Amino acid sequence: MPGTKEFYDTIRDTVFKGHISQSQVDGIEAILKAAADAGVTDQRKVAYMLGTVYHECAGTMQPITEFGKGKGHPYGEKFKMGGGQVTVSLIQRPISFIMAAVLYN
């Protein structure tokens, strides 16, 4: 279920404020493909996955290092030990956690 020209024209002008990079397109396409491969046909669920990744990855649609590196939270100790926690991969998170949550709700 790749994104159509109309889809990208719409999100470029609204969500991405006039510009969308190839990296963002690649991330979106990976999520759309994973959703299609998993048999997700409810567009609301796909939108939820895309929206969650957009929010969690600061609009990059790619994995990012967590802002603040967990400061003030128990999981932040990983950063002090040198084990860079990355906000779970953009590709892994929606496919595993988010997709499971969406499919079972």
Side-chain angles (χ1 to χ4, degrees):
M1 150 185 16
T4 63
K5 180 182 181 327
E6 180 182 25
F7 170 75
Y8 282 106
D9 287 347
T10 299
I11 65 171
R12 179 183 305 106
D13 293 341
T14 56
V15 178
F16 293 97
K17 300 174 182 72
H19 176 76
I20 188 168
S21 70
Q22 186 60 52
S23 178
Q24 289 166 316
V25 170
D26 293 345
I28 292 166
E29 286 296 312
I31 294 164
L32 294 176
K33 181 181 183 321
D37 290 351
V40 179
T41 57
D42 186 335
Q43 296 302 302
R44 296 169 300 174
K45 292 179 179 184
V46 176
Y48 176 81
M49 289 181 235
L50 289 168
T52 300
V53 171
Y54 179 87
H55 173 76
E56 293 290 333
C57 296
T60 65
M61 306 309 284
Q62 294 293 324
I64 61 170
T65 300
E66 183 169 316
F67 296 125
K69 302 192 185 311
K71 184 177 181 181
H73 299 282
Y75 63 84
E77 294 301 313
K78 291 181 183 179
F79 289 103
K80 292 180 184 174
M81 296 184 291
Q85 175 187 345
V86 174
T87 297
V88 179
S89 168
L90 147 82
I91 305 309
Q92 294 169 347
R93 187 170 187 165
I95 293 173
S96 59
F97 176 74
I98 296 169
M99 194 171 272
V102 169
L103 293 175
Y104 291 106
N105 284 328

